[in-house]
Amino acid sequence: EPMLRAQKQQAVHSARWALGCFAAVVAAFTVGRQTAPSVNIGAPVQMPADGPWSPWVPQLFQPLLQPAYTNEPLAKSAVRRFDMYLMTQAAFATPAVKTLNVEQWLAPDFLYETVGFATSRTPRGWCESGEEDQFRRTFNESVFSQMLFLGTDDMASTTSYGNVFWGSDLLGVPAPNNWVYFRVADFYAARKISPVAAQLYYNFMIIDFADLFRRVGRPVLPPAALPEGLVLTAAANDGVPAPLSVVAKAQDAATALKVAKAALHDDWIGSGAGAGTKQWRSHWHSNLTFYGPGGIGRAHGAEQYRQHV
């Protein structure tokens, strides 16, 4: 019996010790809950003004570029950084973090226009309810390859193709739930904000919807007289996307611009009466390749271009 009483007393002592520890933990937790500042999950953490830390701010994306891109025209440089963020980081960011990042390259009065998606008038609008949000919900996986990338200090333009997984309905067209290919071209206008930087204040994007719908078995135009579906980058060894600015600087940009403007005027703005004449042919190389959209197709040579385009 003495041994049994001793064992009972030891058990009671152990139980009291365990309950005491548990009570201390509960008390400490309760005090912590009552004295700790409330935190809104997903929002920046606001520390006391005299605390050791500043409010939380996400680290902004700063791409590490090759030295060959250092002295690019300012608008082209802004688009390069903007596109690098979209292609490598944006898919993993919340709308708020994405907005903070793209505001590095998009002006506060940024205007985005396109066909098929919403117009946006601010970087935040574009990220949260504009094309960026709508496109990623429709094509939830995508890989883009740029073919042409032109630019100066106040404008830039790209033409690219995308391999995308079309997983949600688009403009009333049911999703094929498969990988598809489509072409896209962008035009940007920029303004200089410092000697070494510019921000984009306008972006117009063109998607080749005619070719996209043709590829999924829903053609919206009659079949083209010319071959459709193949688009390649520039037939010159000056970079992909072309041109590499450090190479293009040594070329005669003024003469190229003059020829391009003359061709644009004679083909699209003027009456078109000069098509096929000696003056018209002076704007186009006899061995040109014209990559037209869906419904037009690809023309080889000036005569095919004149006849079908």
Side-chain angles (χ1 to χ4, degrees):
E1 283 188 5
M3 182 177 296
L4 183 61
R5 283 197 301 269
Q7 290 176 345
K8 287 183 178 179
Q9 290 177 352
Q10 184 176 2
V12 170
H13 177 75
S14 298
R16 288 176 177 175
W17 180 83
L19 288 173
C21 290
F22 178 74
V25 170
V26 171
F29 176 76
T30 303
V31 171
R33 285 288 302 271
Q34 292 176 347
T35 58
S38 61
V39 176
N40 180 13
I41 302 300
V45 178
Q46 300 294 329
M47 301 300 294
D50 56 349
W53 301 314
S54 300
W56 175 80
V57 176
Q59 183 175 359
L60 298 180
F61 176 72
Q62 294 292 334
L64 185 62
L65 300 179
Q66 295 186 28
Y69 300 143
T70 301
N71 295 316
E72 278 190 320
L74 297 184
K76 190 172 180 179
S77 179
V79 172
R80 185 178 298 281
R81 287 165 166 77
F82 177 52
D83 278 353
M84 286 185 68
Y85 175 75
L86 296 181
M87 293 178 185
T88 64
Q89 303 291 318
F92 310 104
T94 65
V97 171
K98 188 183 304 181
T99 299
L100 287 174
N101 274 280
V102 301
E103 284 176 339
Q104 297 178 94
W105 312 291
L106 304 184
D109 59 343
F110 174 69
L111 173 61
Y112 179 91
E113 294 184 308
T114 188
V115 175
F117 295 101
T119 294
S120 303
R121 299 188 180 277
T122 63
R124 180 178 179 181
W126 180 74
C127 288
E128 296 187 0
S129 59
E131 182 266 343
E132 166 66 7
D133 172 69
Q134 296 167 5
F135 182 92
R136 290 191 185 275
R137 284 189 283 110
T138 304
F139 306 106
N140 53 13
E141 293 184 74
S142 62
V143 178
F144 281 89
S145 302
Q146 288 182 339
M147 295 182 288
L148 298 178
F149 188 3
L150 316 171
T152 65
D153 283 346
D154 58 9
M155 61 76 57
S157 184
T158 63
T159 183
S160 314
Y161 67 86
N163 296 101
V164 300
F165 188 87
W166 185 349
S168 297
D169 294 358
L170 173 65
L171 303 175
V173 178
N177 291 306
N178 205 348
W179 286 88
V180 297
Y181 163 102
F182 74 84
R183 294 176 62 191
V184 57
D186 283 272
F187 172 81
Y188 303 90
R191 67 170 65 97
K192 190 175 182 179
I193 59 172
S194 79
V196 296
Q199 282 187 328
L200 310 173
Y201 66 87
Y202 181 73
N203 179 195
F204 180 73
M205 182 185 74
I206 308 170
I207 293 177
D208 190 349
F209 280 112
D211 186 65
L212 174 62
F213 292 148
R214 178 189 66 82
R215 290 176 181 275
V216 296
R218 291 178 171 269
V220 295
L221 294 173
L226 299 171
E228 296 182 88
L230 177 65
V231 179
L232 303 177
T233 189
N237 293 324
D238 54 2
V240 178
L244 185 63
S245 293
V246 293
V247 174
K249 283 182 178 181
Q251 300 171 355
D252 191 348
T255 300
L257 181 61
K258 181 179 179 180
V259 172
K261 283 186 173 181
L264 178 65
H265 182 276
D266 288 353
D267 289 1
W268 303 105
I269 301 175
S271 64
T277 65
K278 182 177 180 180
Q279 178 182 352
W280 178 86
R281 290 182 183 275
S282 69
H283 306 147
W284 294 104
H285 195 283
S286 60
N287 194 33
L288 76 92
T289 301
F290 177 85
Y291 295 103
I296 300 296
R298 182 178 71 260
H300 285 295
E303 183 57 31
Q304 274 196 353
Y305 175 79
R306 183 194 66 80
Q307 181 180 352
H308 296 289
V309 181

